[in-house]
Amino acid sequence: MQRYFVNEPAQNEFFIITGDDQRHISKVMRMAPGNSIICVDPKGSSAECEIAEITDEKITAKIVKWIEGSPELPVQVTIVSGLPKGDKLELVIQKGTELGAYKFIPFISARSIVKWDAKKADKKLDRWYKISKEAAEQSHRTILPEVTAPVQLKELITLAESYDQKLIAFEESAKEGEASMLSQTLHQLKRGQSLLIVFGPEGGLTEQEVTALQEQGFITCGLGPRILRTETAPLYALAAVSYHFELMG
């Protein structure tokens, strides 16, 4: 059953769907009145719905029943990715959304090879949003992860102040055999709290960046004995969070 994030709460047991989703339902999926879909409202509640009416401007869907339970991670995990080359960040956003990330913050690191082009910012942000949205629908999320515009180090430090736990996935820690800080942090983290994890770009974070973050309460951690690519490390961390909170019982 197709899943759609709607922009407005239901009114009188009906959802109104417009924009790209209206076109997807009517033109791509070629649905008709009577077909079933799932709507997710702005608060993250899901409902099985039946399409009542299709017009050129909107889809009207009647709520059949609300769906109990939540597929969301019990903690909010924000992924900070040092701006990488090519489409690596798109992979992190897509797969990270599938794995339960709450938010993505691209980070303009000293070793980021790619330079952020402000002229193309809107187009890039729109593409990242669509990737996140499609992945959230496919993986039956009830929260649509936010993808922010890239930030500088100073802005990242300010954003991090509101988080309960802050980690740096640091290659040198992995090389030195550090193997407990990620586990310790997850044990300290309580359900409903927030975790921010910083990952460097291809060349890694500089010592100055790591020091500046440590001075603001960040803790360095290794992600096992193998050195992971910049696009692999966030997925490893999210899988570890999922295992800790959802599978250990």
Side-chain angles (χ1 to χ4, degrees):
M1 200 179 297
Q2 291 288 320
R3 175 176 294 250
Y4 298 94
F5 288 87
V6 295
N7 296 323
E8 300 291 336
Q11 297 289 339
N12 299 320
E13 298 299 304
F14 285 92
F15 282 112
I16 302 298
I17 302 170
T18 58
D20 289 343
D21 287 338
Q22 184 277 339
R23 288 187 286 276
H24 187 265
I25 291 169
S26 60
K27 306 297 184 185
V28 179
M29 301 304 297
R30 296 185 178 277
M31 292 189 189
N35 288 158
S36 295
I37 59 174
I38 292 174
C39 291
V40 184
D41 72 11
K43 291 186 176 180
S45 298
S46 305
E48 183 180 328
C49 301
E50 182 180 289
I51 295 175
E53 183 183 25
I54 297 177
T55 71
D56 291 339
E57 290 79 33
K58 65 183 182 181
I59 308 285
T60 303
K62 180 175 174 56
I63 296 171
V64 176
K65 65 177 180 179
W66 290 98
I67 299 170
E68 300 296 325
S70 172
E72 296 299 326
L73 283 174
V75 293
Q76 295 179 354
V77 184
T78 292
I79 299 297
V80 178
S81 289
L83 210 54
K85 293 186 294 184
D87 58 2
K88 292 177 182 178
L89 184 58
E90 294 182 2
L91 177 70
V92 171
I93 292 169
Q94 182 188 56
K95 300 306 178 186
T97 296
E98 292 179 31
L99 286 164
Y102 182 77
K103 185 176 183 178
F104 297 94
I105 302 176
F107 166 47
I108 302 172
S109 172
R111 290 178 178 159
S112 289
I113 297 170
V114 175
K115 300 305 175 187
W116 179 246
D117 188 347
K119 294 178 182 177
K120 298 178 181 178
D122 288 346
K123 189 175 180 180
K124 201 76 171 176
L125 286 168
D126 186 55
R127 175 161 176 77
W128 291 342
Y129 167 79
K130 287 179 178 177
I131 290 170
S132 171
K133 183 173 181 290
E134 288 174 6
E137 290 168 347
Q138 179 271 321
S139 57
H140 289 200
R141 296 284 302 273
T142 56
I143 293 172
L144 182 56
E146 178 188 358
V147 186
T148 74
V151 300
Q152 302 281 351
L153 180 62
K154 186 179 291 187
E155 190 178 353
L156 172 59
I157 287 171
T158 300
L159 289 170
E161 290 175 359
S162 62
Y163 284 81
D164 295 300
Q165 298 287 345
K166 296 169 286 195
L167 291 174
I168 309 165
F170 193 40
E171 188 175 294
E172 295 306 314
S173 293
K175 287 179 181 176
E176 292 166 7
E178 192 286 307
S180 64
M181 285 314 305
L182 176 61
S183 178
Q184 284 183 36
T185 300
L186 295 183
H187 275 96
Q188 292 169 8
L189 200 62
K190 297 178 175 59
R191 290 172 180 266
Q193 289 189 323
S194 57
L195 169 66
L196 183 143
I197 315 179
V198 178
F199 302 87
E202 288 86 353
L205 297 168
T206 65
E207 286 186 22
Q208 292 87 344
E209 287 171 332
V210 172
T211 300
L213 292 170
Q214 286 177 319
E215 289 173 351
Q216 300 302 318
F218 282 76
I219 298 170
T220 58
C221 70
L223 300 178
R226 294 162 294 283
I227 302 303
L228 305 177
R229 289 177 178 269
T230 184
E231 69 271 31
T232 309
L235 309 183
Y236 177 104
L238 284 164
V241 174
S242 173
Y243 178 78
H244 178 85
F245 283 98
E246 298 176 321
L247 299 182
M248 282 182 67

